[in-house]
Amino acid sequence: MARPKRNLLATAEETQTPPDILSDGQSVAKVVKAAGNNLYNVELPSGRSILVELPARFRSTIWIKRGGYLLVDTNALAARDNKLDGEVLNVVRDEKQWRKMSYWPAEFAKKPSYPEDSEDEESTVGKMPPSESDEES
């Protein structure tokens, strides 16, 4: 039986707004790859790679893509003796709003899509290719 629509909407609404502060053990992490069975390899701002679990409330509701961001709690599963290093607390959907928060790591700063062209190189955009007479001289 399908979950009620109000549960789906409540979960989606919850992921829209970032928390005001993060407690100890909570961190923003970047998704490296999906490991399967609701497990994800994520990279912490320190560069350490960990395996986190997606809770049941997010499963089949919020889709997580490679390169996206998650709010993870590394203390949640510390008592359990297994390969999991943390649990997903929230999924960053409105990245623009999350980046404005004071706890957003500088390591995950937005990089430009296209590298800046250097001033020394002459651009050939909109120019005709060189003619044969230019090459002979």
Side-chain angles (χ1 to χ4, degrees), residues 45-74:
S46 62
R48 190 172 133 231
S49 191
I50 63 171
L51 185 67
V52 296
E53 180 182 28
L54 189 68
R57 66 188 171 117
F58 291 123
R59 295 176 189 168
S60 299
T61 305
I62 305 292
W63 304 109
I64 298 172
K65 62 182 181 177
R66 205 176 31 225
Y69 297 98
L70 303 172
L71 178 62
V72 297
D73 186 5
T74 54

Side-chain angles (χ1 to χ4, degrees), residues 96-110:
K96 196 176 215 180
Q97 191 175 8
W98 281 74
R99 285 185 183 277
K100 294 177 186 175
M101 303 307 284
S102 60
Y103 52 77
W104 187 265
E107 290 84 356
F108 296 146
K110 191 145 182 107

Side-chain angles (χ1 to χ4, degrees), residues 111-131:
K111 296 180 179 99
S113 300
Y114 301 102
E116 295 284 327
D117 290 336
S118 66
E119 305 285 328
D120 301 335
E121 296 177 14
E122 199 175 305
S123 176
T124 58
V125 175
K127 293 183 180 177
M128 295 291 292
S131 64

Side-chain angles (χ1 to χ4, degrees), residues 24-37:
D24 290 341
Q26 294 181 355
S27 176
V28 177
K30 186 175 186 175
V31 178
V32 177
K33 72 174 190 174
N37 291 342

Side-chain angles (χ1 to χ4, degrees), residues 79-98:
R80 290 171 42 181
D81 188 31
N82 58 13
K83 63 183 178 179
L84 295 176
D85 296 315
E87 182 181 35
V88 176
L89 294 178
N90 207 339
V91 179
V92 177
R93 288 181 52 211
D94 187 11
E95 194 175 314
K96 196 176 215 180
Q97 191 175 8
W98 281 74

